[in-house]
């Protein structure tokens, strides 16, 4: 079932015509579907029915508090990578005991906040970080629950920038050092070992890397238990791929992934933790944009739209593919065209796609970039002093703004002239 689909020749988000959102909120704008978020979460969580599992949604994929609150209502936990994300998850009503804290560079302030929130587990990525966490916990008279993120050295992930489980990546404890790391952790008074953690990559479109990682970790868990450590949880990270419309091979379904995990972990006697991000959020959102100009170049035609790389960075960062569709359904005799679809930012990298065949469009037409719900708004910036893209949540026939478009004055308000350039007492021009 598609919650972004054509009805009577117009593209809708659930029961709301996207044109109505463009008219009310303006463009560019992210539009999310509540029903799609709910369906993705349920499909994922249901595939682990019968086993002890926590689904900790990876907040960095889409961190809007309305998204987090939508998932919290369904029972989701959260995987956070900063104190800011921790604050969001708590604000959205996700209890500390369902929050896991990942990331290679947690600060002591962030550790303190997480201990105060009584989070479930810190996924620790180095001995230096472990020692810092120990100090903080001892200071607070606490024991910090930890899992080491170990690096199983398996190849996974659709692009070099989203592969994380190879030994050359910055993430995790090197596989050969894992047991020594646990032995050291066991000696620290502020640390309580509770589990093992991996996250091998993102947009993984086959099961084999997961299978390899689970088998390796299963063996590690046995060895750690033989060495006397208590291992209660196995966090397998996120990374399940989604269809973007260009996949040569369809990524595995959550149910297939679920069966594999269940089969391979049956005798491990662990609570499983999952950190899906893209799988929940990716196809729950679109970026809605207006065509500003069609520019007929010497050897190609450019479709210049009002969304740009500051709104959606994925094509520039990862050569990512996004399906692009007009909001007005092309008729049976619609003219075809081939475009480079670009934004207004002054970078050649501000190109969403090159040489894409699509219906011919003209200035003022609306288009959507599909599959933009994950790593879209969350990565957006104000480069070129373009205001942060607003976000809209749809539920049935209703829609509401869940992040406002800042006014230019609001952007400028946080900037100050130094005293030597100051022309007014308030430090403004
Ligand atoms: C980014 C990330 C995730 C989520 O990855 P997806 O590919 O979006 O599922 C999960 N865990 C960690 C540690 C991450 O860094």
């Amino acid at each position: 079932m598609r919650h972004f689909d054509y009805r009577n020749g117009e593209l809708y988000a659930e029961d709301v015509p996207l044109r109505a959102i463009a008219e009310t909120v303006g463009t560019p704008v992210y539009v999310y579907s509540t029903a799609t978020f709910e369906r993705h979460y349920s499909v994922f969580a249901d595939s682990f029915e019968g086993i002890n599992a926590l689904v900790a949604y990876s907040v960095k994929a889409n961190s809007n508090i309305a998204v987090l609150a939508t998932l919290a209502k369904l029972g989701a936990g959260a995987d956070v990578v900063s104190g800011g994300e921790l604050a969001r998850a708590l604000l959205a009503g996700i209890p500390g005991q369902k929050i896991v804290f990942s990331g290679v560079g947690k600060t002591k302030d962030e550790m303190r906040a997480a201990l105060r929130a009584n989070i479930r587990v810190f996924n620790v990525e180095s001995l230096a970080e472990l020692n810092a966490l120990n100090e903080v916990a001892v200071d607070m008279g606490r024991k910090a629950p930890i899992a080491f993120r170990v690096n199983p050295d398996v190849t996974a992930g659709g692009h070099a920038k989203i592969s994380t489980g190879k030994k050359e990546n910055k993430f995790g404890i090197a596989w050969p050092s894992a047991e020594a790391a646990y032995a050291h952790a066991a000696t620290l008074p502020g640390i309580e070992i509770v589990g093992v953690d991996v996250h091998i990559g993102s947009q993984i479109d086959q099961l084999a890397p997961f299978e390899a990682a689970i088998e390796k970790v299963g063996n590690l868990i046995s060895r750690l238990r033989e060495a006397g450590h208590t291992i209660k949880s196995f966090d397998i990270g996120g990374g399940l791929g989604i269809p973007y419309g260009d996949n040569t091979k369809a990524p595995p379904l959550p149910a297939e992934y679920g069966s594999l995990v269940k089969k391979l972990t049956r005798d491990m006697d662990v609570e499983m933790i999952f950190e899906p991000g893209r799988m929940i959020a990716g196809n729950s959102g679109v970026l809605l944009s207006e065509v500003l100009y069609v520019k007929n170049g010497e050897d190609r035609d450019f479709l210049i739209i009002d969304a740009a790389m500051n709104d959606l960075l994925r094509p520039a960062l990862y050569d990512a593919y996004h399906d692009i569709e007009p909001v007005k359904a092309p008729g049976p005799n619609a003219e075809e065209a081939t475009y480079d679809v670009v934004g207004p930012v002054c970078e050649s990298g501000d190109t969403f796609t090159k040489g894409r065949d699509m219906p011919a469009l003209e200035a003022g037409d609306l288009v959507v970039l599909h599959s933009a719900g994950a790593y879209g708004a969350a990565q957006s910036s104000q480069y070129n002093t373009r205001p942060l893209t607003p976000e809209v949540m749809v539920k049935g026939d209703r829609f509401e703004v869940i992040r406002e478009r800042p006014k230019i004055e609001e952007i400028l308000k946080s900037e100050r002239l130094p005293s030597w350039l100051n022309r007014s007492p308030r430090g403004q021009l």
Side-chain angles (χ1 to χ4, degrees), residues 58 60 79 102 149 199 201-203 238-240 275-278 375:
S58 175
K60 79 176 194 285
D79 166 40
S102 302
R149 174 167 175 182
H199 170 68
S202 201
Q203 188 53 18
L240 190 59
E275 302 171 349
R278 188 188 310 274
Y375 308 108

Side-chain angles (χ1 to χ4, degrees), residues 288-329:
L288 176 60
S289 178
E290 185 181 307
V291 176
L292 293 175
Y293 304 105
V294 180
K295 172 168 153 177
N296 303 113
E298 215 160 88
D299 66 344
R300 61 189 63 212
D301 294 332
F302 294 96
L303 195 67
I304 303 169
I305 64 177
D306 68 359
M309 66 188 288
N310 70 295
D311 306 300
L312 178 63
L313 190 58
R314 298 188 66 257
L317 191 57
Y318 318 118
D319 303 314
Y321 177 98
H322 288 269
D323 257 350
I324 303 175
E325 276 187 324
V327 165
K328 185 176 181 318

